[in-house]
């Protein structure tokens, strides 16, 4: 029911096919985030049209509303949200960090105070798995503790040990064979603890493995040694998922190191703030200078917004706070990341990922390529 086959390599970068009950997906890939079962402002058909392969939902938020049993009764996420392709659900572990002011951690699990009405909500490994089984995603995540940055070494060590105990409980609670449960390795930017976590997690032999606890505020100079070490330690024949990462330069650097899957709210949130992603960076359509510009957002892009609308029209919509403008920027930004991953896959298959990544860097950074980016490409065999 689940399999992963590597189809091409270039240095440590690789392409693959991940088979799921709702169809195969091509890696490396970016997953749009549909926290509440919806990618904000984008319809399921639009997601398919722009090349989305997997959509991510969130256990904590869907537990609060509309509730997992309601989703189950209405066809699981595939039927309820009318997106027939593969789904992945986060376990709620990220909210252990992001809602740190509204939760209490114990060995049993986490007690949250609902951000909606203040009700107390307990989430344990068993409840996280049961909720994800009701939601029906193809890939479900083990309930973990995502530590904040910065965190003391003692805190990181305790969170790793607790995450491993919770992983064992998640696997014991899992009942559906048509869902793949991915384990999550933690450790912050402490390379020794990253090694400890990965080496203790790999023997659980889950169908895929995630790299958690990064992109939470740490500097890139600390993040990329952790990513590079993690991809060396996690199994070669299983998908590797770098959680919460979605800036274009991070995708290109991480693919160079052998990461296969990504997710982030960045493209849609950036679109709702009035910014469009370009190879050179971000275009601020709130600026008055775009109000008379007849050109598309990006002449290289094939999304609906770039094929039909000018910068002038979109800038007008953004400044007028019209929903269409924010929707179109979100759509474009998602398509930009999907195109970036399509180009990465093609470059890997053709054995020219280094050329692709260096060209990306020249356009994105100009003459000042950051040391962390160059270092990631060097470690991946691409500079």
């Amino acid at each position: 029911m689940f399999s992963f086959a590597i189809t091409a390599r270039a240095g440590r970068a690789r392409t693959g096919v991940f088979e799921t009950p709702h169809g195969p997906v091509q890696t490396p890939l970016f997953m749009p985030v549909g926290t509440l079962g919806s990618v904000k402002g984008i319809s399921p058909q639009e997601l398919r049209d722009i090349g989305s392969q997997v959509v991510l939902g969130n256990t904590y938020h869907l537990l609060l509303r509309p509730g997992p049993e309601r989703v189950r009764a209405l066809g699981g996420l595939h039927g309820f949200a009318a997106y027939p392709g593969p789904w992945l659900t986060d376990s709620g572990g990220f909210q252990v960090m992001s809602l740190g002011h509204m939760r209490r951690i114990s060995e049993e699990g986490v007690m949250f105070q609902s951000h909606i009405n203040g009700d107390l909500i307990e989430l344990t490994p068993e409840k996280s798995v049961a909720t994800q089984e009701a939601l029906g995603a193809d890939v479900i995540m083990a309930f973990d503790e995502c530590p904040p940055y910065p965190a003391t070494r003692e805190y990181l060590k305790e969170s790793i040990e607790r995450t491993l105990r919770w992983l064992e409980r998640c696997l014991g609670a899992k009942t559906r064979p048509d869902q793949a449960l991915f384990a999550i390795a933690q450790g912050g930017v402490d390379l020794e603890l990253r090694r400890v976590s990965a080496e203790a997690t790999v023997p659980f032999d889950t169908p895929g493995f995630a790299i958690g606890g990064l992109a939470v505020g740490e500097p890139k100079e600390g993040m990329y040694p952790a990513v590079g070490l993690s991809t060396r330690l996690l199994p070669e024949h299983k998908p590797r998922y770098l959680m919460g990462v979605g800036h274009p330069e991070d995708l290109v650097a991480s693919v160079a190191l052998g990461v296969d899957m990504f997710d982030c709210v960045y493209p849609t949130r950036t679109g709702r703030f009035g910014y469009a992603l370009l190879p050179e960076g971000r275009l601020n359509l709130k600026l008055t200078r775009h109000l008379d510009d007849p050109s598309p957002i990006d002449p290289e892009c094939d999304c609906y917004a770039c094929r039909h609308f000018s910068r002038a029209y979109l800038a007008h919509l953004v400044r007028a706070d019209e929903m269409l403008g924010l929707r179109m920027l979100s759509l474009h930004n998602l398509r930009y990341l999907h195109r970036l991953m399509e180009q990465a896959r093609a470059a890997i298959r053709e054995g020219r990922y280094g050329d692709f990544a260096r060209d990306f860097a020249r356009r994105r950074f100009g003459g000042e390529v950051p040391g962390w980016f160059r270092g990631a490409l060097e470690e991946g065999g691409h500079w």
Side-chain angles (χ1 to χ4, degrees):
M1 196 171 297
F2 293 94
S3 65
F4 180 66
I6 296 172
T7 55
R9 298 176 189 273
R12 286 172 60 183
R14 74 261 192 94
T15 61
V17 178
F18 181 43
E19 296 281 353
T20 80
H22 288 85
V25 298
Q26 306 287 325
T27 64
L29 64 86
F30 175 81
M31 298 180 286
V33 174
T35 301
L36 285 159
S38 169
V39 179
K40 283 185 170 56
I42 310 298
S43 73
Q45 186 57 54
E46 287 172 320
L47 290 173
R48 302 290 273 188
D49 290 345
I50 62 173
S52 302
Q53 299 187 75
V54 182
V55 174
L56 183 145
N58 182 269
T59 295
Y60 166 82
H61 289 281
L62 290 165
L63 174 65
L64 295 184
R65 57 182 178 187
E69 292 308 321
R70 181 172 285 123
V71 175
R72 189 205 300 267
L74 293 166
L77 283 171
H78 302 89
F80 182 58
Y83 182 82
W87 282 82
L88 180 149
T89 42
D90 187 12
S91 65
F94 179 74
Q95 279 67 45
V96 177
M97 182 202 72
S98 65
L99 299 178
H101 60 296
M102 303 174 70
R103 59 91 176 121
R104 184 176 70 253
I105 302 172
S106 69
E107 184 60 29
E108 181 61 21
V110 181
M111 185 68 74
F112 291 96
Q113 184 179 18
S114 167
H115 68 286
I116 299 170
N117 59 15
D119 287 353
L120 293 180
I121 305 293
E122 186 177 32
L123 197 55
T124 65
E126 293 79 9
K127 187 170 183 178
S128 175
V129 169
T131 301
Q132 293 182 83
E133 289 192 338
L135 296 173
D138 300 74
V139 177
I140 65 176
M141 302 304 298
F143 189 53
D144 66 323
E145 180 185 352
C146 178
Y149 178 86
T152 66
R153 199 165 194 273
E154 187 59 32
Y155 185 103
L156 290 173
K157 187 171 182 293
E158 290 174 0
S159 74
I160 287 170
E161 293 168 351
R162 183 180 293 114
T163 291
L164 288 166
R165 293 192 295 271
W166 284 358
L167 170 59
E168 193 164 10
R169 287 168 58 187
C170 285
L171 290 167
K174 184 178 182 295
T175 65
R176 288 185 57 166
D178 61 339
Q179 293 180 304
L181 187 148
F182 281 22
I184 305 172
Q186 292 287 352
V189 294
D190 186 308
L191 297 185
E192 182 183 342
L193 292 181
R194 275 278 159 197
R195 179 179 295 277
V196 167
S197 179
E199 290 178 346
T201 303
V202 166
F204 286 91
D205 196 29
T206 54
F209 290 87
I211 304 165
L214 295 175
V216 293
E218 76 281 359
K220 307 278 192 185
E221 291 78 9
M223 174 179 171
Y224 278 93
V227 173
L229 177 64
S230 297
T231 55
R232 287 190 183 278
L233 296 173
L234 296 177
E236 177 73 11
H237 62 289
K238 302 284 184 75
R240 302 161 178 159
Y241 166 25
L242 180 55
M243 304 181 77
V245 169
H247 287 236
E249 58 271 25
D250 291 326
L251 270 59
V252 173
S254 300
V255 167
L257 293 168
V259 175
D260 306 299
M261 301 168 64
F262 305 89
D263 82 279
C264 194
V265 299
Y266 176 72
T268 47
R269 181 173 289 171
T270 300
R272 295 196 307 277
F273 289 165
Y275 292 91
L277 300 181
L278 296 174
E280 296 76 21
R282 297 194 310 181
L283 181 73
N284 183 356
L285 283 161
K286 294 175 289 187
L287 299 178
T288 56
R289 68 168 178 261
H290 299 302
L291 288 171
D292 298 300
D293 189 342
S295 60
I297 297 171
D298 182 355
E300 299 175 15
C301 182
D302 57 3
C303 78
Y304 185 91
C306 288
R307 286 186 290 112
H308 292 88
F309 301 133
S310 65
R311 292 183 180 185
Y313 180 62
L314 293 169
H316 156 65
L317 295 180
V318 168
R319 289 167 62 86
D321 202 25
E322 283 286 337
M323 287 188 294
L324 179 62
L326 307 183
R327 265 190 10 88
M328 288 298 99
L329 294 187
S330 297
L331 186 78
H332 164 79
N333 290 346
L334 286 172
R335 180 59 187 148
Y336 174 80
L337 292 188
H338 290 330
R339 285 178 56 240
L340 189 65
M341 292 296 91
E342 290 166 7
Q343 293 161 0
R345 293 195 295 268
I348 293 167
R349 287 192 295 268
E350 295 164 11
R352 54 175 185 83
Y353 190 77
D355 292 337
F356 163 77
R358 290 191 298 273
D359 181 63
F360 169 88
R362 281 191 291 271
R363 298 187 70 178
R364 175 65 182 83
F365 303 116
E368 296 292 331
V369 177
W372 63 265
F373 187 90
R374 182 191 291 266
L377 264 59
E378 287 175 347
E379 183 175 344
H382 305 292
W383 195 270

